[in-house]
Amino acid sequence: MQIVLPPEAEALVQRQLTSGKYKSAIDVILAGIQLLEQQEDIYQGRLSELQRDAMLGWEASQRGEVVDGPTAIAQIRANLRRRSQP
């Protein structure tokens, strides 16, 4: 596979090489790919957490275990005040 980088990307690769942190352009690109994979893993993990939290909320609502917005905010504020007190 051959890739043509835009000038901005080429400049970034060159700066990384100049810094001495990487030995070759492919090392810089591989590091970027690894970061992309890590970011994707984090995104997928967070998405799973959000989906699980949404399901818990939906199940609670089906059981009638929900409160309205102002009540929820009041409860959150009360919890924060309790936590901030010695």
Side-chain angles (χ1 to χ4, degrees):
M1 175 185 301
Q2 289 189 2
I3 300 172
V4 177
L5 298 175
E8 307 84 34
E10 280 189 38
L12 174 63
V13 169
Q14 192 57 49
R15 283 194 306 273
Q16 294 301 313
L17 291 172
T18 302
S19 76
K21 185 174 179 182
Y22 300 96
K23 295 178 182 174
S24 69
I26 193 68
D27 289 343
V28 176
I29 292 168
L30 288 174
I33 291 170
Q34 288 173 338
L35 286 173
L36 181 61
E37 286 179 330
Q38 290 172 0
Q39 184 180 33
E40 183 64 22
D41 289 345
I42 291 168
Y43 170 79
Q44 287 301 322
R46 185 65 183 131
L47 178 60
S48 295
E49 289 175 14
L50 291 171
Q51 289 171 331
R52 187 175 48 251
D53 290 347
M55 183 58 72
L56 289 173
W58 184 81
E59 290 169 352
S61 73
Q62 295 300 303
R63 294 188 303 267
E65 300 172 352
V66 294
V67 296
D68 61 30
T71 302
I73 294 297
Q75 290 173 351
I76 291 168
R77 287 182 177 151
N79 286 338
L80 290 172
R81 280 193 296 274
R82 278 195 300 274
R83 288 182 186 173
S84 67
Q85 294 175 354

